[in-house]
Amino acid sequence: MSKKPVRVVVTGAAGQIGYSLLFRIASGEVFGADTPVELSLLELPPAIKAAEGTAMELEDCGFPTLSKINISDTAETAFEGVNWALLVGSKPRGPGMERNDLIRDNGPIFVTQGKALNRAASDVRIVVVGNPCNTNALIALHNCREVPATRFSAMTMLDENRAKALIAKKAEIGVGAIRNLAIWGNHSSTMYPDFEHATAGEKSVEAAVGGRAWLEGDFMVAVQKRGAAIIAARGKSSAASAASACIDHVKRFMTKTPSGEWFSAAVPSDGNSYGVPAGLMFSFPIRSHGDGKYEVVQGVNLSAYARKKIDETTKELLEEREVVRQLLLR
Ligand code: NAX
């Protein structure tokens, strides 16, 4: 393999999502069979041993694309020269914990990591998965002034995939036929899965599922509560599906989006799109140019129903921003 290696750091590498994500990246699935991958695993000191175990298993897979594995408990070391930073590691929400407590607990992680990225990496794209991912991404980018804000994104692809799968099942068609299902706003229960502009094969989603009542009712609740349903069934939060969504997210940004299509990701709002205040990390319909650049799709005609949902999720993100205000530098 003569290509320059791609360096990828995964934080929380010994966690559940890390355990699914690392193998798929190492396999060549994301960057191609002819591109060597150097993995960097960042973990907290108590989980370094477990990360070493994961690294042994990665070696044992014999992936020809995996050229190197580094393990570290220091952000600056782990981030040295990385091209992709997949920020997964953060504290999960405990029983009885309020969302704002989680935001306050996890915020400082992204201050440290933002600053470390600022010092250690320049040609880098950052994807935040660790929750609350929109606001964590906001904190990281504010603490990383050397890297353009547009290189930061937060993951709402799992929500998009969940929404598509639910619609496909209801419409009794393959999930590949569902297109342009944008998630708007926060990766939380206020997100708005925009079924009004999504299509199912040649039909509107509304026509394919037999009317709007299910979409406004059971569907909306099912998408928003899917994470909780998985915890209830599995006893653990989504991991393989989250890792798979992270792979989709990276691939979608790397590939030119086909004409007329879009995907979902939270990116910094430019303040001129759909009335979303500037700077918020907001999930929009996105089109990638395939060369590292992307655009927020303009001209999506929002109904009064959609507008109300988007205003609700915007309000929540503004409140989250207030909770972490003192962590925002830029
Ligand atoms: P786990 O608890 O299994 O793993 C998290 C790992 O992160 C642990 O090994 C821990 O030691 C490590 N960690 C914690 N703080 C760290 C730090 N400062 N530096 C490096 N490593 C650190 O959680 P997992 O199931 O893997 O989930 C990880 C995160 O993804 C959670 O915040 C979770 O809420 C979030 N999720 C986000 C999703 C999304 O769609 N955006 C969906 C799935 C998931 O819920």
Side-chain angles (χ1 to χ4, degrees), residues 184 192 194 196-197 274 300-307 310:
W184 294 77
Y192 171 51
D194 182 359
E196 292 181 336
H197 296 92
Y274 306 102
V300 177
N301 199 4
L302 299 175
S303 66
Y305 176 82
R307 190 66 261 173
I310 289 171

Side-chain angles (χ1 to χ4, degrees), residues 12 15-17 43-44 88-90 109 113 129-131 133 155 187 242:
Q16 287 201 93
I17 296 175
E43 255 303 348
L44 295 176
V88 179
S90 64
I109 296 175
Q113 294 188 352
V129 175
N131 280 323
C133 62
M155 185 176 98
H187 169 66

Side-chain angles (χ1 to χ4, degrees), residues 8-318:
V8 184
V9 63
V10 175
T11 73
Q16 287 201 93
I17 296 175
Y19 192 71
S20 285
L21 185 57
L22 286 161
F23 293 84
R24 292 186 61 184
I25 298 168
S27 73
E29 177 187 345
V30 183
F31 300 103
D34 57 350
T35 305
V37 177
E38 287 185 18
L39 285 177
S40 177
L41 280 50
L42 178 68
E43 255 303 348
L44 295 176
I48 285 291
K49 192 89 194 145
E52 285 168 2
T54 302
M56 285 188 240
E57 283 204 71
L58 281 162
E59 286 168 7
D60 294 350
C61 289
F63 295 123
T65 37
L66 180 58
S67 64
K68 199 170 172 189
I69 308 175
N70 300 310
I71 303 172
S72 178
D73 62 7
T74 309
E76 221 160 303
T77 309
F79 292 165
E80 189 62 51
V82 293
N83 306 114
W84 284 90
L86 309 181
L87 307 186
V88 179
S90 64
K91 188 172 155 180
R93 188 161 161 177
M97 206 174 174
E98 295 296 329
R99 190 170 171 88
N100 282 353
D101 296 334
L102 183 74
I103 294 170
R104 278 190 209 96
D105 274 13
N106 280 331
I109 296 175
F110 294 86
V111 172
T112 309
Q113 294 188 352
K115 287 183 175 153
L117 274 167
N118 206 35
R119 288 187 288 262
S122 52
D123 181 16
V124 59
R125 285 172 204 288
I126 302 100
V127 183
V128 180
V129 175
N131 280 323
C133 62
N134 299 56
T135 295
N136 288 341
L138 183 76
I139 297 168
L141 80 83
H142 273 267
N143 286 279
C144 186
R145 291 158 190 252
E146 299 298 323
V147 176
T150 51
R151 292 192 172 205
F152 287 78
S153 60
M155 185 176 98
T156 52
M157 184 61 76
L158 180 56
D159 307 304
E160 177 181 325
N161 286 345
R162 285 169 170 168
K164 283 177 169 170
L166 286 163
I167 289 169
K169 205 166 171 181
K170 179 79 175 174
E172 297 180 353
I173 55 172
V175 72
I178 314 293
R179 298 204 194 278
N180 294 358
L181 192 303
I183 303 295
W184 294 77
N186 203 1
H187 169 66
S188 78
S189 58
T190 66
M191 85 180 102
Y192 171 51
D194 182 359
F195 55 80
E196 292 181 336
H197 296 92
T199 52
E202 300 300 307
K203 295 182 183 173
S204 70
V205 158
E206 193 178 323
V209 302
R212 203 176 158 98
W214 177 78
L215 290 164
E216 283 192 19
D218 290 354
F219 164 74
M220 198 62 76
V221 175
V223 182
Q224 291 172 338
K225 302 255 167 83
R226 186 70 165 182
I230 286 165
I231 295 174
R234 216 172 78 87
K236 291 178 188 168
S237 57
S238 331
S241 57
S244 196
C246 185
I247 302 274
D248 288 345
H249 177 114
V250 172
K251 280 184 176 171
R252 293 290 201 112
F253 271 99
M254 285 173 46
T255 317
K256 188 171 173 5
T257 309
S259 171
E261 294 192 18
W262 59 66
F263 64 94
S264 315
V267 297
S269 168
D270 62 6
N272 298 316
S273 303
Y274 306 102
V276 179
L280 279 190
M281 288 299 287
F282 199 92
S283 184
F284 287 108
I286 303 283
R287 291 177 47 76
S288 169
H289 297 185
D291 58 359
K293 297 205 174 72
Y294 69 82
E295 67 196 39
V296 170
V297 175
Q298 299 297 324
V300 177
N301 199 4
L302 299 175
S303 66
Y305 176 82
R307 190 66 261 173
K308 186 165 170 280
K309 297 275 179 203
I310 289 171
D311 288 348
E312 278 167 20
T313 195
T314 303
K315 182 170 174 281
E316 184 182 53
L317 280 167
L318 285 169

